[in-house]
Amino acid sequence: MSIIVGYLPSKEGQAAVHAGIREAKLRGEKLLIVNSVRLGSLVDKAVASPEDLEEVSKLANEAGIESTILESEYRDDFTEEFLRLADEQDVSLIVIGLRQRTQVGKFIMGSHAQRILLQANHPVLAVKAEQN
Amino acid sequence: MHTQDETTSVSDPDNEPENGALTPEELAKEWAAEAPESSGPIANLLACLAVLGLAIAGMFISAGLGLGTPQTPNAGTWPFIVCVIIAVMALVQMIVGRKGENGGEKFSKLSWYSLVGFVTLLLLIALMPIIGFEIPSLLLCFVWMRWLGGERWRSATLYSVIVVVAFYLIFIVALGTNIPRLF
Amino acid sequence: MDFFGPVADGFSTVLDPTNLLYCLVGVVIGMLVGILPGLGPAATIAILLPLTYGIEPVTAIIMLAGIFYGAQYGGTITSVLLRLPGEASSVVTVFDGYVMARQGRAGTALGIAAIGSFAGATIAILGLTFLAPLVANFALDFGPPEYAALALLGILLVATISGSSKTKAIIAAAVGLLLATIGRDVFTGAERFTFGNLSMADGIDFAPLAMGLFGIGEILYNLEERHRSAAMPAAVKRVWPSRSDIKQASPAIGRGSVMGFLLGILPGGGATISSLVSYAVEKKVAKDPSRFGRGAIEGVAGPETANNAAATSSFIPLLTLGIPANGTMAIIFGALLIQGITPGPQLINENPELFWGVVNSMYIGNVLLLLMSIPLVGIFIRILRIRAAILAPITVLITMLGAYTIRNSIFDVFLVVMFGAVGYLMKKFGFEPGPLVLAFVLGGLLESNLRRSLLVLEGDLGGFMGRPISATLLVVFVVVALWPVIKSGIMRRRANSTLVPPLSEKEKV
């Protein structure tokens, strides 16, 4: 059994990874870190560089957690892709980071967090960015 | 739209080279692996036959225009010569390319997108003189963004409207061109 | 050598505010196009052809030229920052430039590329300034046989040197020649291949053909493209190479300029080949070749200088002889035709303000490139984040609506779409559009010169060999045409031939 974390190179992504590590330790499970990127542009903020991924792996290793990194691509729907991966790997928990969005932003862009919470077949842990 | 051809790769950051940098040979291999598949011998044969057919038709039509002589070239002389060259080279290519290595790519599932795109362009041409460019352009943008591009329908609609308005402002208001329009 | 008068006039032409503005626009669009995947300078120049209808010839060519050499530099930015070559001529820059970026020296890499590009272009422009009048004067004595032989050789060189399959390129060129015959025959008045259609009676217009083949064709092809996005590159820190860096790179820049200049003049040569050759040469002459591929500054300076020098010198055959050196030059040839100017040896004398205006605009354009390249990097990266799904319909609409504005004719737009389909199919089946367009623009001139030659020589084809220049050209033609056969004969005689798999390159016109 494993825990899947949706990772982005951002504060929210960091928070999600930390939460994922804590949970994995508590439950004694493996960690699956997913960086899923949208196809179509040459450069994307959501893409995690090799250094980002290395750092995240290190964090997991230091906490004594076995971790795997998955890099995937999707064409139109992140939620669909992410939930598909969660079902495929039959995880015990989904961990995502939450971002502040205005009402208008949510309307136009849609909220993946909302859809994941509502559509997931597994328990979801949603965390906010850590206030340092 | 269902996701197609999703690829997931498990990467082990400890194994990647230090700088993320690869030697030229490794880079070339990576690019070659990512490059689309070659179209193969059948495609080569088909293309050559099509070209050959075109050339032979051309030869007949040029002959009909009058071949003349080297002293007095006629309207059909030059086209005939060119068609002969095309026909000969098509035959050469049929032989040279029979293994199907060089050039060309296989048609994939994604090639349907190109066909759809092509059809939308024809529709734009058909509709534009009748109802102006605004509505056909709006529809084209929407189709391209939503189905060919995978945008969500809300953002596709919004961006389509912005684009068409911008084009209206630039082409009609600023440049004053005579594109058929509704408003 | 009394040309200082016209050269000075050329500068005053360039410093005209309109021309300066269009130069700036061209260079910025060029850089943008070089950065964005999917659209090359050829496609962009083709798409912007309708824009040239309403402006002065000088202004139009200044802008189009700016797009061309601006794109060479734009491709460097993605090579260095993202390991993705934006243009075929920036492929080798990836090897050392990206490594330098990973070492925190992205600014140095970009800076030395900008300096090298500027130096290369300057040397090429100087060469152009001195060489062009000589060549043009020499060519003024050309008669129809010489010009016909030259056009044939030019087409053959472009078809055989660049690209992978020679036979397919020749087929494409021949089809281009055939397309040029459509319409009313000038000599006899007969209608050829028009099938009774009135719109075809005047022949196929250049602009819709170019816009369709290069513009729509490329866009339709890109609908299939899938690539994984790259991570946001780290902010570029120190943006200027140090004095020692510049000193280390100078010999490479010097060599690159000369190589690029020479390789650019040759039809079929051009920016891509010169960058490859420069990299190979730098690696050979370096005291420590193992540095290459690990962040050797010469590996960036040499090729970048060479490709810009080549891009600039590839204007020489066009402006002095009227022979385009590659597909993009063919489109610029077409742009000149649209303006009612036939490029050829007489161009320098009959339109000196055009010639020197364009040449001098290249100085200004390269200065602008140097000034703007680094500050604009941040903005360009932001633009790269726009998804292709949004850019594609915008480009398509610009092309379609733009095509309409040429003659307010929906038939033109239809032609554009049809040629777009042809361009797409050509790409899928491995035929290059460049030779087709080149042969198309030269086709009419080639045929009329051939027929005039036959009239002059009174039907005696042997007369071609009787004239020294046309004889030489024809011999070269035959040698180039038979070269593959000769080469395989030589290879078979060699006892041991170790076959090294060639480095694959991304081909983008």
PDB file of all heavy atoms in Angstrom, chain B residues 125-136:
ATOM      1  N   ILE B 125     -13.591  29.096 -44.732  1.00  0.00           N
ATOM      2  CA  ILE B 125     -13.648  29.711 -46.052  1.00  0.00           C
ATOM      3  C   ILE B 125     -15.070  29.713 -46.578  1.00  0.00           C
ATOM      4  O   ILE B 125     -15.532  30.672 -47.181  1.00  0.00           O
ATOM      5  CB  ILE B 125     -12.744  28.938 -47.033  1.00  0.00           C
ATOM      6  CG1 ILE B 125     -11.297  29.022 -46.596  1.00  0.00           C
ATOM      7  CG2 ILE B 125     -12.901  29.483 -48.434  1.00  0.00           C
ATOM      8  CD1 ILE B 125     -10.399  28.238 -47.470  1.00  0.00           C
ATOM      9  N   ALA B 126     -15.785  28.602 -46.342  1.00  0.00           N
ATOM     10  CA  ALA B 126     -17.140  28.510 -46.864  1.00  0.00           C
ATOM     11  C   ALA B 126     -18.061  29.518 -46.190  1.00  0.00           C
ATOM     12  O   ALA B 126     -18.885  30.154 -46.835  1.00  0.00           O
ATOM     13  CB  ALA B 126     -17.664  27.091 -46.666  1.00  0.00           C
ATOM     14  N   LEU B 127     -17.900  29.688 -44.874  1.00  0.00           N
ATOM     15  CA  LEU B 127     -18.853  30.526 -44.136  1.00  0.00           C
ATOM     16  C   LEU B 127     -18.504  32.004 -44.155  1.00  0.00           C
ATOM     17  O   LEU B 127     -19.369  32.854 -44.036  1.00  0.00           O
ATOM     18  CB  LEU B 127     -18.930  30.049 -42.678  1.00  0.00           C
ATOM     19  CG  LEU B 127     -19.591  28.694 -42.477  1.00  0.00           C
ATOM     20  CD1 LEU B 127     -19.487  28.288 -41.023  1.00  0.00           C
ATOM     21  CD2 LEU B 127     -21.038  28.753 -42.907  1.00  0.00           C
ATOM     22  N   MET B 128     -17.232  32.314 -44.287  1.00  0.00           N
ATOM     23  CA  MET B 128     -16.811  33.699 -44.126  1.00  0.00           C
ATOM     24  C   MET B 128     -17.505  34.677 -45.062  1.00  0.00           C
ATOM     25  O   MET B 128     -17.955  35.739 -44.631  1.00  0.00           O
ATOM     26  CB  MET B 128     -15.288  33.795 -44.302  1.00  0.00           C
ATOM     27  CG  MET B 128     -14.686  34.993 -43.631  1.00  0.00           C
ATOM     28  SD  MET B 128     -12.928  34.772 -43.312  1.00  0.00           S
ATOM     29  CE  MET B 128     -12.256  35.447 -44.801  1.00  0.00           C
ATOM     30  N   PRO B 129     -17.623  34.367 -46.371  1.00  0.00           N
ATOM     31  CA  PRO B 129     -18.280  35.352 -47.234  1.00  0.00           C
ATOM     32  C   PRO B 129     -19.757  35.536 -46.905  1.00  0.00           C
ATOM     33  O   PRO B 129     -20.343  36.556 -47.230  1.00  0.00           O
ATOM     34  CB  PRO B 129     -18.122  34.765 -48.639  1.00  0.00           C
ATOM     35  CG  PRO B 129     -17.062  33.741 -48.537  1.00  0.00           C
ATOM     36  CD  PRO B 129     -17.137  33.214 -47.152  1.00  0.00           C
ATOM     37  N   ILE B 130     -20.356  34.521 -46.255  1.00  0.00           N
ATOM     38  CA  ILE B 130     -21.803  34.589 -46.026  1.00  0.00           C
ATOM     39  C   ILE B 130     -22.124  35.322 -44.731  1.00  0.00           C
ATOM     40  O   ILE B 130     -22.959  36.223 -44.707  1.00  0.00           O
ATOM     41  CB  ILE B 130     -22.398  33.162 -45.966  1.00  0.00           C
ATOM     42  CG1 ILE B 130     -21.955  32.365 -47.196  1.00  0.00           C
ATOM     43  CG2 ILE B 130     -23.905  33.241 -45.894  1.00  0.00           C
ATOM     44  CD1 ILE B 130     -22.451  30.950 -47.196  1.00  0.00           C
ATOM     45  N   ILE B 131     -21.473  34.942 -43.644  1.00  0.00           N
ATOM     46  CA  ILE B 131     -21.845  35.552 -42.369  1.00  0.00           C
ATOM     47  C   ILE B 131     -20.700  36.337 -41.735  1.00  0.00           C
ATOM     48  O   ILE B 131     -20.707  36.617 -40.558  1.00  0.00           O
ATOM     49  CB  ILE B 131     -22.340  34.492 -41.360  1.00  0.00           C
ATOM     50  CG1 ILE B 131     -21.294  33.394 -41.179  1.00  0.00           C
ATOM     51  CG2 ILE B 131     -23.648  33.916 -41.815  1.00  0.00           C
ATOM     52  CD1 ILE B 131     -21.706  32.389 -40.131  1.00  0.00           C
ATOM     53  N   GLY B 132     -19.688  36.672 -42.514  1.00  0.00           N
ATOM     54  CA  GLY B 132     -18.618  37.457 -41.928  1.00  0.00           C
ATOM     55  C   GLY B 132     -17.623  36.574 -41.197  1.00  0.00           C
ATOM     56  O   GLY B 132     -17.838  35.383 -41.029  1.00  0.00           O
ATOM     57  N   PHE B 133     -16.517  37.185 -40.780  1.00  0.00           N
ATOM     58  CA  PHE B 133     -15.447  36.371 -40.218  1.00  0.00           C
ATOM     59  C   PHE B 133     -15.603  36.116 -38.720  1.00  0.00           C
ATOM     60  O   PHE B 133     -15.025  35.180 -38.184  1.00  0.00           O
ATOM     61  CB  PHE B 133     -14.084  37.024 -40.475  1.00  0.00           C
ATOM     62  CG  PHE B 133     -13.718  38.102 -39.506  1.00  0.00           C
ATOM     63  CD1 PHE B 133     -12.939  37.828 -38.399  1.00  0.00           C
ATOM     64  CD2 PHE B 133     -14.154  39.400 -39.702  1.00  0.00           C
ATOM     65  CE1 PHE B 133     -12.599  38.827 -37.507  1.00  0.00           C
ATOM     66  CE2 PHE B 133     -13.816  40.400 -38.813  1.00  0.00           C
ATOM     67  CZ  PHE B 133     -13.033  40.110 -37.709  1.00  0.00           C
ATOM     68  N   GLU B 134     -16.425  36.948 -38.039  1.00  0.00           N
ATOM     69  CA  GLU B 134     -16.433  36.867 -36.574  1.00  0.00           C
ATOM     70  C   GLU B 134     -16.880  35.503 -36.069  1.00  0.00           C
ATOM     71  O   GLU B 134     -16.196  34.869 -35.280  1.00  0.00           O
ATOM     72  CB  GLU B 134     -17.357  37.933 -35.967  1.00  0.00           C
ATOM     73  CG  GLU B 134     -16.879  39.356 -36.141  1.00  0.00           C
ATOM     74  CD  GLU B 134     -17.457  40.000 -37.386  1.00  0.00           C
ATOM     75  OE1 GLU B 134     -17.886  39.258 -38.281  1.00  0.00           O
ATOM     76  OE2 GLU B 134     -17.473  41.218 -37.471  1.00  0.00           O
ATOM     77  N   ILE B 135     -18.068  35.062 -36.529  1.00  0.00           N
ATOM     78  CA  ILE B 135     -18.608  33.818 -35.984  1.00  0.00           C
ATOM     79  C   ILE B 135     -17.790  32.595 -36.402  1.00  0.00           C
ATOM     80  O   ILE B 135     -17.439  31.780 -35.557  1.00  0.00           O
ATOM     81  CB  ILE B 135     -20.095  33.672 -36.366  1.00  0.00           C
ATOM     82  CG1 ILE B 135     -20.856  34.855 -35.789  1.00  0.00           C
ATOM     83  CG2 ILE B 135     -20.655  32.364 -35.855  1.00  0.00           C
ATOM     84  CD1 ILE B 135     -22.320  34.846 -36.058  1.00  0.00           C
ATOM     85  N   PRO B 136     -17.461  32.451 -37.710  1.00  0.00           N
ATOM     86  CA  PRO B 136     -16.631  31.296 -38.057  1.00  0.00           C
ATOM     87  C   PRO B 136     -15.302  31.287 -37.301  1.00  0.00           C
ATOM     88  O   PRO B 136     -14.843  30.230 -36.873  1.00  0.00           O
ATOM     89  CB  PRO B 136     -16.416  31.450 -39.563  1.00  0.00           C
ATOM     90  CG  PRO B 136     -17.555  32.280 -40.032  1.00  0.00           C
ATOM     91  CD  PRO B 136     -17.873  33.208 -38.908  1.00  0.00           C
TER      92      PRO B 136
END
